[in-house]
Amino acid sequence: MVKGSGGTAEKREDPRVKRTRELIVQAFGELVMEKGHRGLTVQEIAERATINRATFYDHFRDQHELLDYFISEAFRGELWRRLPGRPGLDEESLRALVLATCDFLSGLEMGCRRSDRQFKPLIEAQVASELYKLLLEWMEASPQKANERLADPEITASVVSWAIFGAGVRWSRDGAAESEERFADQVLSVIAEGLRL
């Protein structure tokens, strides 16, 4: 869950379950950095995490679910680092969201091995999904007055998340031509105008 989010409290998780999940995620991250995702097996992940395969499957259906979880957690970490203490549907939070997305996707662009390029669309889809969920949460938590001037929150969250995601993809591919801060301000002006902030 992202810092300052207004969602319901997560269920209390057994510390042993949480620790095992962390070991699996850490092992996955290390192995991806060492050899890439292609050809990586559940057995290798389990061995690195010092668990058996059955324990892996207690936590994740397959490697794709682990990849989705890994990307979501990494992107949430970037958001946690960037967002203000009480994020919401305001210019400061949206600007931080644009910058975090640009940075995260730039890292992906540089870090994706040639052999792992096939996974890039899956990773990008997970980032887009996280943006959508966060924006929808902010819209649903915003004062009624703000909600009255917006279209349906799900439609608005979808449009704004894709605008931020699209800007992040553009920045990650050829953003070095201008300042990231200036780029974020331009993106924010378009989004803020559409949201009438």
Side-chain angles (χ1 to χ4, degrees):
M1 199 179 260
V2 176
K3 171 176 72 168
S5 64
T8 60
E10 293 181 34
K11 283 191 225 175
R12 274 252 194 267
E13 190 173 29
D14 182 324
R16 292 169 297 177
V17 171
K18 185 177 179 185
R19 177 70 181 133
T20 302
R21 183 174 284 258
E22 287 170 359
L23 287 171
I24 294 169
V25 170
Q26 180 181 346
F28 178 76
E30 290 170 0
L31 287 166
V32 167
M33 292 301 289
E34 289 170 19
K35 59 188 273 182
H37 187 270
R38 182 180 234 170
L40 190 59
T41 67
V42 168
Q43 184 63 41
E44 288 174 297
I45 298 166
E47 286 174 4
R48 178 67 65 96
T50 64
I51 61 168
N52 60 43
R53 287 171 49 99
T55 302
F56 175 92
Y57 290 116
D58 286 342
H59 293 270
F60 299 99
R61 278 190 314 267
D62 55 25
Q63 286 187 56
H64 294 293
E65 185 178 42
L66 174 55
L67 176 64
D68 287 348
Y69 181 83
F70 183 83
I71 295 304
S72 291
E73 289 299 303
F75 186 55
R76 287 177 190 165
E78 182 68 25
L79 294 176
W80 180 272
R81 200 174 61 71
R82 292 275 193 155
L83 289 173
R86 298 182 69 80
L89 196 59
D90 57 50
E91 288 192 27
E92 180 186 12
S93 296
L94 288 170
R95 187 172 195 281
L97 204 54
V98 171
L99 288 168
T101 303
C102 288
D103 284 348
F104 189 81
L105 291 175
S106 290
L108 174 64
E109 187 69 29
M110 290 185 292
C112 235
R113 294 171 181 245
R114 190 167 281 141
S115 64
D116 283 345
R117 293 280 176 199
Q118 71 190 46
F119 298 104
K120 196 170 165 195
L122 298 172
I123 296 168
E124 289 176 343
Q126 197 62 32
V127 170
S129 173
E130 288 298 322
L131 284 169
Y132 169 78
K133 288 186 276 189
L134 181 60
L135 286 162
L136 183 59
E137 186 178 302
W138 288 353
M139 287 174 194
E140 289 174 343
S142 69
Q144 191 61 27
K145 232 182 346 180
N147 283 332
E148 288 172 6
R149 69 175 187 255
L150 297 175
D152 176 84
E154 291 179 2
I155 293 170
T156 305
S158 183
V159 169
V160 174
S161 66
W162 277 100
I164 293 171
F165 175 75
V169 168
R170 180 180 179 272
W171 172 262
S172 73
R173 293 185 181 153
D174 53 40
E178 61 185 305
S179 142
E180 184 181 44
E181 300 289 326
R182 180 167 154 59
F183 179 76
D185 288 340
Q186 291 174 352
V187 171
L188 180 60
S189 71
V190 171
I191 292 169
E193 177 67 29
L195 292 174
R196 298 184 193 105
L197 294 178

